[in-house]
Amino acid sequence: MTDIEAFVRGLPKTDLHMHIEGSIEPQLMLDLAARNGLKLRWDTAEALRGAYQFQNLQSFLDLYFEGCKVLVTERDFHDVTRAYLRRAHEDGVIRAELFIGPQSFTERGTPIEALMSGVLGAMQEARREHGMSVGLMISVHRHRTEPEAVAVLDQVMPWKDDIIAIGMGGAEIGTPPSKFARFFRAARDRGFRTTVHAGEEGPAAYVREALELLHVDRIDHGNACLGDPDLVRELAARRAPLTVCPLSNLRLRVVPRMQDHPLKVLMAHGLHVTVNSDDPPYFDGYVTENLLACRDAFGLSPEEIVRLVRNGLEAAFVTEEERRALLARLDAYVAAHADAFGAASVGLLAT
Ligand code: HPA
Ligand code: ZN
């Protein structure tokens, strides 16, 4: 491991955009299938990993929803959540915010109680065993109807205090955020923070709708905002966080090469860019690999990497008291490693 790799892996960081059902490592996928008496199209972890080749978002979603079938019981939800959190902890993540989309599972008969108990139980264990800060976000599918999304909101109300935000993912083109204005209004009226996938494959207009019609607290992806200079200025002025997922964008061919990714352009416009994993096994990387891929493509300095990590802590859905404590951990880490980067590292502590 190089010095910079070790430095990045050890950085106390966030993962603010990841999907529990997109975090099933291939061997666990096979184990869960066997446990539930299901036959997958692949017999080995290598064969399954080999199938992770995508042409676009939809081709990924087809496989992702197929993979969702292995999550049936409370124990399944517990095990996959626990496995992700353990791996994220090893990756230096100190604050993880996890999406789960209940519709894939409740439509096949898994009770919402089983899903929530499994996920929340594993999150509690990660707090206790790893000292991690973790939060759960409930995500709805944009390819389904708005009344169905509102029904999810009704279903999860008994766990309101365990849910940090409501979000939306799924196939973007043809399903603009405006289609779900009433749903997001209902979520906000019930006191939830909100976030929405927008501007991943969709145009800048979808990011504008997310901001102006849905009034979300964060935008997931958001890359396409660059198509609208006024919108970029608005996002920067509001310090609206974008949860960018570079390896996801590469693997879903949102960009042809990592060098073509807009990360640095977004940063140069003063946008509140964070780096996240989305669906780590499918895109071959947790947060560290995402940061290192950006470093390789753009020659990010240690200061820029720390800036991205700090942005994540600043965008996290935590109390201000907790944010101060999390930022103090980053500051302490940077101070302890400042000498590893020579004179250039003097600016690492600057906020
Ligand atoms: N986009 C939309 N929906 C998703 C994604 C994504 O990147 N990951 C999981 N569901
Ligand atoms: Zn996502």
Side-chain angles (χ1 to χ4, degrees):
M1 203 188 299
T2 62
D3 281 355
I4 184 69
E5 223 181 300
F7 173 76
V8 173
R9 199 166 295 286
L11 268 169
K13 52 189 161 297
T14 56
D15 196 357
L16 304 181
H17 178 170
M18 68 74 59
H19 303 264
I20 293 174
E21 58 273 60
S23 75
I24 316 171
E25 287 285 344
Q27 188 55 53
L28 182 57
M29 177 93 72
L30 293 168
D31 294 346
L32 292 172
R35 197 153 96 184
N36 288 309
L38 300 166
K39 182 95 185 81
L40 294 179
R41 290 192 281 142
W42 305 270
D43 291 332
T44 65
E46 294 69 38
L48 186 48
R49 205 178 285 282
Y52 297 167
Q53 310 277 348
F54 311 110
Q55 279 69 54
N56 50 34
L57 174 58
Q58 188 59 56
S59 68
F60 157 70
L61 289 171
D62 291 344
L63 204 61
Y64 167 92
F65 286 125
E66 191 175 344
C68 284
K69 292 182 183 157
V70 305
L71 295 174
V72 181
T73 66
E74 176 176 339
R75 187 172 153 217
D76 300 339
F77 287 95
H78 169 272
D79 290 358
V80 67
T81 307
R82 184 176 165 86
Y84 163 75
L85 288 170
R86 183 180 293 154
R87 180 69 180 72
H89 172 62
E90 288 164 4
D91 195 34
V93 170
I94 59 169
R95 171 69 184 175
E97 303 189 352
L98 288 57
F99 282 116
I100 190 140
Q103 286 157 302
S104 303
F105 313 103
T106 52
E107 75 172 3
R108 277 194 288 274
T110 295
I112 189 74
E113 292 81 7
L115 180 157
M116 293 298 285
S117 302
V119 168
L120 291 170
M123 288 172 55
Q124 194 53 29
E125 287 168 17
R127 290 187 188 102
R128 204 172 53 233
E129 292 172 19
H130 306 314
M132 283 177 89
S133 170
V134 290
L136 180 64
M137 302 183 286
I138 299 296
S139 172
V140 299
H141 295 152
R142 68 199 312 150
H143 54 275
R144 300 179 196 253
T145 67
E146 188 172 52
E148 287 173 306
V150 174
V152 173
L153 210 48
D154 291 336
Q155 275 181 333
V156 300
M157 283 314 280
W159 292 274
K160 174 152 194 315
D161 294 343
D162 295 308
I163 297 168
I164 56 164
I166 301 291
M168 182 169 75
E172 192 180 2
I173 293 170
T175 51
S178 52
K179 225 182 118 180
F180 287 83
R182 272 174 307 208
F183 165 70
F184 277 88
R185 175 76 200 266
R188 286 189 296 111
D189 284 349
R190 294 184 199 196
F192 289 108
R193 294 187 193 88
T194 56
T195 170
V196 67
H197 285 55
E200 176 185 18
E201 278 191 345
Y206 285 18
V207 181
R208 186 179 278 285
E209 285 187 5
L211 197 67
E212 295 179 353
L213 287 178
L214 305 191
H215 305 285
V216 290
D217 298 284
R218 287 198 311 233
I219 291 170
D220 296 311
H221 298 290
N223 308 4
C225 71
L226 290 169
D228 178 347
D230 286 341
L231 174 63
V232 170
R233 277 189 286 277
E234 186 63 30
L235 289 165
R238 295 194 196 188
R239 262 191 86 57
L242 307 182
T243 63
V244 176
C245 306
L247 285 174
S248 165
N249 298 150
L250 178 68
R251 300 299 292 267
L252 299 187
R253 307 197 189 193
V254 172
V255 292
R257 302 173 310 162
M258 195 54 96
Q259 294 93 308
D260 301 309
H261 193 280
L263 182 101
K264 272 211 96 158
V265 183
L266 294 166
M267 290 174 79
H269 279 99
L271 295 172
H272 193 157
V273 179
T274 69
V275 170
N276 309 276
S277 71
D278 211 3
D279 305 282
Y282 288 103
F283 306 139
D284 204 17
Y286 289 75
V287 178
T288 294
E289 288 75 27
N290 272 273
L291 287 168
L292 290 172
C294 292
R295 178 186 173 273
D296 292 346
F298 308 121
L300 293 182
S301 65
E303 287 87 344
E304 287 169 319
I305 294 171
V306 171
R307 177 77 258 168
L308 289 165
V309 169
R310 189 178 301 279
N311 283 351
L313 292 170
E314 287 173 351
F317 291 149
V318 293
T319 63
E320 291 314 307
E321 184 186 0
E322 179 166 13
R323 194 183 321 284
R324 274 194 295 279
L326 295 171
L327 283 166
R329 289 176 67 179
L330 175 64
D331 288 337
Y333 181 87
V334 170
H337 291 78
D339 57 338
F341 296 91
S345 64
V346 171
L348 278 175
L349 281 170
T351 54

